[in-house]
Amino acid sequence: MTKKRSFSHTSAEVKLEAVLQILESKKSVIEVANGLNLHRDTVNRWVNAYKDKGKIGLENQRSHTSSQPKNDNKKVKELERKLKEIE
């Protein structure tokens, strides 16, 4: 029996490549999972997340990095400052 990975930090790029192999190249979930040394259920979750939310569904939600662009953060801070001035 093949030992599966014991960590869950796979990059969004690897996840996307795996999903596209299944959806576009018509490879089986088991074939892709075995190639990545992962359980088929893990790869299946990626496919479902991609179908549901697109690329953003493949990002690690527990990651400490924000997927929100820095310009948006700057804009929010500016609007908060203007709101305080008005109050």
Side-chain angles (χ1 to χ4, degrees):
M1 182 173 225
T2 305
K3 186 175 181 179
K4 302 297 179 189
R5 289 185 186 177
S6 62
F7 59 90
S8 62
H9 300 293
T10 306
S11 72
E13 292 82 15
V14 171
K15 292 176 184 179
L16 180 61
E17 179 63 31
V19 168
L20 293 178
Q21 284 181 25
I22 294 163
L23 298 178
E24 293 178 356
S25 300
K26 304 297 183 193
K27 289 187 176 182
S28 72
V29 171
I30 293 172
E31 184 179 3
V32 172
N34 287 341
L36 293 171
N37 199 28
L38 294 168
H39 194 275
R40 69 179 186 278
D41 290 345
T42 301
V43 177
N44 238 350
R45 278 195 304 273
W46 297 347
V47 172
N48 291 334
Y50 181 80
K51 286 179 179 178
D52 187 40
K53 297 180 182 176
K55 285 183 183 180
I56 201 137
L58 300 176
E59 292 179 5
N60 184 353
Q61 301 304 316
R62 292 182 232 155
S63 176
H64 295 291
T65 59
S66 173
S67 62
Q68 186 179 27
K70 293 196 184 270
N71 289 341
D72 286 352
N73 290 334
K74 191 183 289 185
K75 188 173 185 177
V76 168
K77 287 182 180 183
E78 182 182 332
L79 291 171
E80 288 173 343
R81 182 184 55 78
K82 286 181 180 181
L83 182 60
K84 282 183 181 180
E85 288 175 5
I86 293 171
E87 291 174 339

